[in-house]
Amino acid sequence: MIFIQGKLLPAFTIKAIGSAEKASRTDVNTVTNWNVPLVWEGTFDPVVIDAIYKNANPRIAVLVLAVGKYTRFLKGFLESGEKYFFVGFRVTYYIFTDKKHEVPNINLAPGRNISIQDVPSAKRWQDVVLSKMKWATVTIEKWLYKEADYLFMMDIDSIFHNRFGAETLSRLTAVLHRGYYKTNRDSFPYERGPKSQAYIPYGEGDYYYTAAVWGGYLEDMYKLVKYCFEKSQEDVKNGVEAAWQEESHLNKYFLYNKPTKVLSPEYLWSDYDTVPNDIRVVRISQLIKNYAEVRPNGGQ
């Protein structure tokens, strides 16, 4: 089902989107084992999908945290987003930062906006990561439900290199982690400690998803971020912290609440890694950086 501003799109529209997403790739899996699209370059028609969604005119929100020295990545993220992120759509970049004065002035296309929100500084990068679910929950509850139909959560230390568009929209959209999309599930870095609310035992799991890019319809995203926030708070009360903070809780949620669309690692690669043959297009890439220098606790 596909919703815009709380309304289900007509059946003919859904059928058209489905036909636009038919696979023309034989070198990769293009559907999950629960029968939803696994999106790669060559598996969708961008003209058809954009035409359908632009007619519906959805409001797209993207939430990023730029705390401490991470404000240096804002300019590149925003400028490249204006070139490639939902071009021609209504977009608002929600920037949560402790340094509002360091948010750059960016020339935005019509219908696109920046909203700057204050957040406190952090002493540990792990606290910054975990706070994403908190701020997303609070933001949706307070005002975002009036301003957006779809929400994407993204890491600020990345650059758009190619199209990121309507082919990514669904109730819940996850992105395969570049480091684990070719490995077996017992190699996934799930939280393996049973005391954590993010615990996933060996022998379970579908994929390992990155927490650096994911999104979906606002109502479904609210359920997800609130779940992850509450479960991480339970961990705090119990004196534990999941191995990969919000990413661990995200993977736990997706295990039992399957994504309605999965995106290939094209949608988040890394400048640290060479690009294999199955990645025909790098759409977003995380930047090389000195973690010890940019993270508040020296990357530890």
Side-chain angles (χ1 to χ4, degrees):
M1 294 184 292
I2 298 169
F3 289 79
I4 303 292
Q5 298 183 37
K7 298 178 180 179
L8 179 64
L9 291 186
F12 73 86
T13 303
I14 298 171
K15 183 178 179 181
I17 292 174
S19 63
E21 291 178 339
K22 286 183 178 178
S24 57
R25 293 280 296 269
T26 58
D27 59 322
V28 292
N29 290 329
T30 59
V31 65
T32 69
N33 59 14
W34 59 97
N35 202 33
V36 303
L38 205 171
V39 181
W40 299 78
E41 174 68 7
T43 64
F44 63 92
D45 185 329
V47 175
V48 172
I49 289 180
D50 278 359
I52 292 168
Y53 276 98
K54 284 182 180 179
N55 185 60
N57 200 23
R59 300 164 297 173
I60 312 297
V62 54
L63 190 155
V64 297
L65 264 69
V67 177
K69 296 180 180 179
Y70 275 74
T71 54
R72 69 183 62 175
F73 301 116
L74 279 166
K75 188 173 187 294
F77 180 90
L78 293 169
E79 288 183 344
S80 63
E82 284 302 283
K83 292 180 180 178
Y84 299 114
F85 183 74
F86 281 96
V87 174
F89 288 81
R90 292 186 289 172
V91 171
T92 300
Y93 302 94
Y94 290 86
I95 301 171
F96 286 71
T97 183
D98 58 343
K99 297 181 178 180
K100 295 176 68 172
H101 62 284
E102 293 188 8
V103 177
N105 291 320
I106 302 294
N107 291 324
L108 301 174
R112 300 167 75 91
N113 300 283
I114 291 175
S115 177
I116 305 171
Q117 308 298 326
D118 283 308
V119 294
S121 301
K123 295 181 179 180
R124 301 190 317 140
W125 67 266
Q126 294 93 337
D127 295 332
V128 176
V129 170
L130 284 167
S131 70
K132 287 167 60 176
M133 298 301 187
K134 172 185 176 181
W135 298 124
T137 302
V138 171
T139 301
I140 294 171
E141 289 176 343
K142 284 189 174 181
W143 73 82
L144 196 58
Y145 71 95
K146 298 178 181 179
E147 301 178 1
D149 301 301
Y150 290 91
L151 170 64
F152 284 88
M153 305 284 288
M154 294 187 174
D155 281 3
I156 195 63
D157 54 339
S158 52
I159 292 286
F160 293 90
H161 293 288
N162 285 284
R163 169 199 168 87
F164 188 115
E167 76 281 358
T168 67
L169 295 176
S170 80
R171 298 295 300 256
L172 280 177
T173 299
V175 179
L176 298 184
H177 194 293
R178 70 184 189 280
Y180 302 99
Y181 74 106
K182 295 181 180 179
T183 63
N184 65 70
R185 63 186 179 186
D186 283 346
S187 299
F188 297 163
Y190 291 149
E191 170 56 49
R192 302 300 188 181
K195 291 184 179 180
S196 172
Q197 295 297 311
Y199 169 63
I200 298 176
Y202 288 100
E204 293 189 22
D206 305 303
Y207 301 106
Y208 188 78
Y209 306 104
T210 179
V213 178
W214 49 283
Y217 184 61
L218 194 65
E219 180 181 326
D220 297 84
M221 285 290 286
Y222 176 65
K223 294 175 183 177
L224 192 167
V225 298
K226 186 177 182 181
Y227 167 91
C228 292
F229 172 52
E230 291 177 347
K231 294 303 180 181
S232 65
Q233 290 299 104
E234 287 186 41
D235 275 2
V236 170
K237 292 177 182 178
N238 293 327
V240 297
E241 183 174 279
W244 292 103
Q245 293 81 39
E246 100 282 22
E247 189 168 85
S248 298
H249 292 283
L250 180 71
N251 274 273
K252 177 68 173 287
Y253 187 88
F254 279 147
L255 176 58
Y256 299 109
N257 303 270
K258 305 295 188 192
T260 51
K261 185 172 286 183
V262 176
L263 307 180
S264 74
E266 297 168 2
Y267 289 85
L268 189 71
W269 200 250
S270 171
D271 288 353
Y272 289 95
D273 300 325
T274 57
V275 181
N277 291 334
D278 55 359
I279 304 295
R280 296 181 182 176
V281 174
V282 173
R283 303 183 187 279
I284 310 176
S285 190
Q286 290 183 310
L287 299 168
I288 293 174
K289 53 202 158 293
N290 182 347
Y291 284 106
E293 191 268 329
V294 297
R295 285 178 169 175
N297 53 325
Q300 301 299 313

